[in-house]
């Protein structure tokens, strides 16, 4: 049953979609084979020694056996494994022009910022998009406690430590939608702190990045979405959240500027339906214990649905 847990393809080191993860899997397989080879050799020698007739192996023969099986063969095998492993331990080279994605761990969500040198930094949350075949540099830190950034199919895990920035260089090799998690216990909702990873073809990624920098689409007029926007402001949601193109530019909570294109809600724990969004607004602690977002239990279900509907309308123009 434990082995079956690694059979999925969206969150498994056994299903790599990145250069480092594939190299790590190959290295693990070779080292495991080497360890099994040595263990079988030791076991075979032990069995032969027990079954050999008394006196068959003299002092000189015993010393040769110890020399070959106890020193020479293990040294040769371990040296070959070391020579094979050393290149795999070399980090992927990066350049100043490479895409940089700054990820900051929070309790219990992820603050994301893209910097590609081609425009203003782009803020997001709980989602990471990568161009396939290009080198990407993650700059990782934390706001409150130690977190650990891990995308099993892309690369190894890296700690996120308050006051320190760690670098993780990666390269995705095939497109798809995957999942990353926090791999360091960070509080009550540690297990509910995930994020979506979307590996895109380079042209599609460039198109998305350019579109995401444009003003988001919002309905005009006096419809339900306008009432949702007004309720968002009236209830003080803008004191914590940013919505690009509006007066709301706070940085306490996740950036909601393109909430409508998100694949999940609450850092990977819910489907981003209007009903789920409204329920999360009214009582976030029911879904994520220990979350710092205040509950809006006094907000009616109708009003919460209006706010959720407005949030769902926030999307780049390409999503129309």
């Amino acid at each position: 049953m434990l082995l079956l847990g690694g059979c999925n393809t969206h969150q498994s080191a056994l299903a790599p979609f990145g250069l480092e993860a594939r190299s790590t899997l190959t290295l693990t397989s070779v080292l495991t084979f080497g360890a099994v080879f040595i263990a079988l050799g030791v076991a075979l020698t032990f069995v032969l020694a027990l079954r050999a007739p008394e006196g068959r192996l003299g002092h000189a023969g015993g010393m040769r056996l110890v020399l070959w099986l106890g020193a020479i063969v293990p040294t040769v095998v371990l040296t070959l494994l070391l020579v094979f492993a050393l290149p795999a331990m070399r980090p992927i080279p990066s350049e100043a022009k490479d895409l940089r994605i700054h990820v900051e761990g929070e309790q219990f969500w992820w603050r994301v910022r893209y910097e590609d040198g081609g425009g203003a930094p782009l803020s997001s949350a709980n989602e990471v998009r990568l161009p396939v075949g290009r080198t990407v540099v993650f700059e990782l830190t934390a706001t409150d406690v130690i977190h650990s950034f891990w995308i099993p199919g892309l690369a190894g895990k890296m700690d996120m430590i308050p006051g320190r920035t760690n670098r993780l260089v990666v390269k995705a090799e095939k497109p798809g939608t995957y999942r990353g998690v926090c791999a360091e216990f960070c509080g009550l909702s540690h297990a509910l702190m995930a994020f979506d990873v979307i590996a895109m073809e380079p042209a599609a990624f460039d198109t998305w990045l350019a579109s995401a920098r444009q003003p988001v689409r919002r309905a005009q007029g006096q419809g339900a979405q306008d009432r949702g926007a007004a309720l968002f402001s009236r209830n003080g949601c803008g004191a914590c959240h940013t919505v690009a193109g509006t007066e709301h530019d706070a940085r306490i909570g996740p950036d909601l500027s393109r909430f409508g294109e998100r694949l999940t809600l609450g850092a990977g724990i819910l489907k981003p339906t209007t009903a789920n969004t409204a329920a999360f607004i009214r009582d976030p602690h029911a879904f994520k214990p220990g979350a710092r977002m205040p509950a809006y239990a006094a907000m009616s279900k109708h009003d919460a649905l209006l706010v959720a509907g407005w949030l769902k309308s926030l999307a780049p123009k390409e999503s129309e």
Side-chain angles (χ1 to χ4, degrees):
M1 293 299 293
L2 290 175
L3 292 176
L4 290 176
C7 292
N8 71 78
T9 58
H10 70 287
Q11 183 187 327
S12 174
L14 301 180
F17 70 95
L19 177 62
E20 182 176 321
R22 179 173 55 80
S23 176
T24 300
L25 179 60
T26 301
L27 178 61
T28 300
S29 301
V30 172
L31 292 178
T32 300
F33 176 81
V36 170
F37 175 78
I38 293 175
L40 290 177
V42 172
L44 179 61
T45 303
F46 181 73
V47 171
L48 293 176
L50 288 178
R51 294 187 175 185
E54 186 176 353
R56 179 176 179 179
L57 187 64
H59 177 75
M63 293 303 294
R64 286 195 298 271
L65 185 66
V66 170
L67 175 64
W68 280 98
L69 297 184
I72 296 177
V73 172
T75 299
V76 171
V77 172
L78 293 175
T79 300
L80 291 175
L81 292 175
L82 178 62
V83 171
F84 175 81
L86 285 177
M89 298 170 64
R90 186 183 302 120
I92 300 173
S94 63
E95 301 178 4
K97 64 179 182 180
D98 292 330
L99 172 68
R100 277 168 164 71
I101 304 179
H102 182 86
V103 183
E104 194 169 350
E106 307 257 2
Q107 287 179 309
F108 300 93
W109 58 283
W110 310 85
R111 190 188 302 275
V112 182
R113 186 177 73 249
Y114 299 84
E115 297 180 0
D116 66 342
L122 173 66
S123 296
S124 184
N126 301 326
E127 178 185 278
V128 170
R129 294 182 181 245
L130 305 167
V132 171
R134 294 181 185 170
T135 300
V136 175
V137 180
F138 282 111
E139 297 177 339
L140 307 173
T141 188
T143 300
D144 33 47
V145 299
I146 296 176
H147 301 275
S148 187
F149 182 86
W150 190 29
I151 307 174
L154 181 65
K157 63 186 70 173
M158 179 69 73
D159 280 348
M160 309 171 83
I161 303 172
R164 177 185 176 91
T165 299
N166 290 331
R167 296 172 74 253
L168 178 65
V169 184
V170 302
K171 181 180 289 187
E173 295 185 313
K174 61 181 180 180
T177 301
Y178 307 95
R179 179 181 170 94
V181 295
C182 178
E184 178 82 20
F185 180 75
C186 57
L188 289 176
S189 287
H190 160 67
L192 303 175
M193 185 176 171
F195 58 97
D196 298 301
V197 182
I198 305 166
M200 311 172 68
E201 295 292 353
F205 176 82
D206 292 340
T207 300
W208 170 81
L209 191 61
S211 175
R213 285 191 168 118
Q214 301 302 313
V216 296
R217 170 175 60 88
R218 285 184 291 275
Q220 301 297 323
Q222 300 300 317
Q225 290 177 349
D226 285 329
R227 294 198 299 273
L231 287 167
F232 184 91
S233 298
R234 189 183 310 156
N235 284 277
C237 303
C240 293
H241 298 283
T242 291
V243 179
T246 72
E247 69 275 17
H248 309 305
D249 60 355
R251 282 180 43 85
I252 297 175
D255 190 305
L256 302 178
S257 299
R258 292 171 307 283
F259 183 86
E261 73 175 3
R262 302 262 170 87
L263 300 180
T264 58
L265 166 68
I269 63 174
L270 293 170
K271 292 183 178 180
T273 64
T274 302
N276 284 345
T277 304
F280 193 91
I281 291 171
R282 298 185 74 239
D283 190 5
H285 308 103
F287 303 95
K288 184 163 288 193
R292 296 179 179 178
M293 177 178 170
Y296 285 84
M299 182 185 294
S300 70
K301 291 183 179 180
H302 176 71
D303 286 353
L305 286 170
L306 288 175
V307 174
W310 177 68
L311 291 174
K312 289 289 293 179
S313 75
L314 303 179
K317 292 182 178 180
E318 70 161 356
S319 298
E320 296 187 20

